[in-house]
Amino acid sequence: MQTEPLRDWHALSTAEALACLDTAPQGLSETEAALRLQAHGPNSLPAPRGRSPLLRFLAQFHNALIYFLLASALAALLLGHAVDALVIVAVVVVNAVVGFIQEGRAEKALSGMESLISDKAHVVRGGLRESVDAATLVPGDVVMLEAGDRVPADLRLIRVRALAIEEAALTGESVAAEKGELPVAADTALAERSAMAYSGTLVARGQATGVVVATGTATEIGRISALLQSVPSLATPLLRQIDSFAAKLTAAISLGAAALFAFAVLVRGFDWVDALIAVVALAVGAIPEGLPAVITITLAIGVQRMAARKAVIRKLPAVETLGATSVICTDKTGTLTRNEMMVSRVMAGVHELRVEGSGYQPEGAITCRGGSDAAAAIAAAADIVRCGVLCNDAHLRRSDGIWTVTGDPMEGALIALARKAGIDEADLRGEWHRVDEIPFDASHRLMATLRRDAAGPSVVFIKGAPEAVLALGGSREDAEAWDLGTTRAADEGERVLGFAMRELPPATERLDFGLLQGATMLGLMGFIDPPREEARLAIAECRSAGIAVKMITGDHVGTALAIARQLALADTPRALTGTQIEAMSDAELAEAVPHTAVFARASPEHKLRIVRAQQSRGAIVAMTGDGVNDAPSLKQADVGTAMGVSGTQAAREAAEMVLLDDNFASIVAAVREGRTVYDNIRKVIAWTLPTNGGEGIAVILAILVGFALPMTATQILWINLVMTVTLGLVLAFEPPGPGIMTRPPRRRDAPLLSAFLLWRVLLVSVLFAAVLLAVFFGAQWAGDSLREARTMVVNMLVIAEIFYLFNVRYMHMRSLSHAGLQGTRAVLIAVGGAVIAQLAFTYAPPLQEVFDTAPLSIRDGAAMLAIGAAMFFLLEAEKTLMRKLGWFEELA
Ligand code: ATP
């Protein structure tokens, strides 16, 4: 891939570097960039290699239980029980295959996620600024960097403004390195090459432009290693909880089995070989060895469903946390609103103009409010409209008849306004040569450009938050009048910008804040940015689900409150401003937060305090962010959520989740999927444990009391096998149940095995055991052979499992409904599979031979179905009773 000869780029002057690369500050042309892409290959590093499939498969066998089973199979074989040995091996292999496939799916689901969030780079090509996929960068491309960007390739910096870069990934140095334009000596160490920005490092502050000198594997990071990415880890707190639970259960069962074996041989006088096989089978039946694999797949399915709803999970534990989220803190612009700006009001001096139109289309009438002379008003507004164009980096484009912006939407709106007023922005920008600028920054909330007219004067054009612009100068009375105007526009939900200008000595080359002082206020503009309809619906859903939504915005309090009202964020939304937050102690803030829906003019530091305040009250907080300074609050939040479209790389890397569409509704969709995952995991447990428990109790009773085993060892293994590949999987695929967003979020400390779940497992285990034994003795009493009775017991257990599955599907609600009984495709396929397996087990001669079964009559079958149905109704009645009794909080 690397064809450029290695050079000491850091020792060349910027002009030499540009010349060597045959490029210019205006960048390459599109055609040249395409040619170079063919020559150099994509700007990407090879993906890390995961574990090989064979190793992953073998790893499935690396487990104490499996060793135990394999040893038992060997023992069975040596003792002449070839069939039992074979069935044990089959159980082991089937479990391994199922585990292998599920783990593979889970890993794939996760590793596919990063590729959904493609890295973008801002380049200048053919003199125009555009955003391209970072993989398409080529040597010679001119790239712009700003705070929060990950440097997309190795760059020789050609223009630098207060740039500092964190290079720990490359140099191990944790303090951000200051950068400049001047060349350094050829033998300077990597960490000291201040004229370079290296691929993979992170811009901490400032801006810069640089020319690409190396891409892909030719970059410094590409040469030292390709191990930047790692294979995602599948461990989550929940999985660890399950693993440790399964380990404890396995230990307990093994001990119990050993005791039972001793009892069977010593007290009951069983043949020790028979007893061993029976006890092993029991242990196999009782240990939920498939549980971790099913839960992993449940999480993976959650991740996939969230991605389909535009929420990409970067860290697997977030799937669980999302389901418990009790507060969502969100930005306003672009997340709750559409971020499609249009200037609707211009206030210049005594005049107020109304602007019509739609979107960025540069057509629409400008009329005068309050009856003043329209022509005079438009003339008075000429300065402010011009200022809007000259303090601006955006372009409007038209494709397929639709006008779109490249750059900041508010700046796009300013260009549309200029065209409506008959001003051509290209001419104006050509006339006024741009000398320097102070870029917009959320901390000082304004932007300024220094421009020089061909005729001579230098002028600084300023736009920003009204109070920030007013603070630059002007009389007290003026300020009060403008404040009134701002409040009036903001209260109608408009976003307000102030504009100012100041003439400077012609030779001024560099702009700083001192030079802005004394600027003349030109006026205000109000922008409309309509709320997203889907956000309004999602907020309503949150409120019914007991999730509080807080808007944290850099915008004016009036604008924020007006939008909050339009979105019904709270019944009567209350607001705090950044200044008020600053005056509060942490305790006071924690006190105020529950009653406050809007935080306006808030900075990233305020965001951090707001998250902490809520967490101190036990809340689980999801928080959105996009800027580099949002990283601390994203890390602090339980589910840090970054913006995939507008966000910086720094924010994305600090976040647990990235929204592909920057849309608030996607967060809520992810919360709903998170709740579904947690529910499904509990369903899997509620269904799996009693299966094992029921047969366990029946067999243990037989040994303790001393009657014939109701199932043979091989039959227990068969049940295990059939359940693992059929019904055991389907609960992972359950769609969100009804009512999932009408109950409050689960508590942070709620145990997975809640009191209700334990009660359920116990009750159903006992019920199953009772039914199995009743069938076993009933059949023999009615004259059936032992063989027939056992065949009935096995079939009864599977039938009971199927009916119970329908109980479990809706754990909190009645399952006795059309939707509840209809099942999903997965449920029907699994039930079909189990039925076919049981028919073969009962009627196919080879299986009858292996498993010692006998054909059953239709009457027997009907009786078992009736018993299964009766159990279903009984457990439904129990659910209703428990809800009436109110014993369990979660049923309330
Ligand atoms: P959020 O996305 O959280 O709602 P925001 O976009 O409202 O935040 P910032 O981007 O921090 O917040 O903007 C804060 C204020 O700075 C805006 O209300 C506006 O007055 C001003 N502002 C925003 N963008 C620009 C810009 N490009 N030039 C000048 N001023 C700007």
Side-chain angles (χ1 to χ4, degrees), residues 335-337 531-540 567 663-665:
T335 314
L336 294 174
T337 66
R532 291 180 187 252
E533 177 57 20
E534 64 272 28
R536 207 173 56 77
L537 299 176
I539 287 170
L567 289 167
N663 189 342
F664 178 78

Side-chain angles (χ1 to χ4, degrees), residues 577-603:
T577 63
T579 327
Q580 288 170 318
I581 295 173
E582 236 141 73
M584 292 175 136
S585 69
D586 284 345
E588 285 166 341
L589 185 61
E591 199 54 47
V593 150
H595 323 291
T596 311
V598 171
F599 299 86
R601 290 287 190 240
S603 70

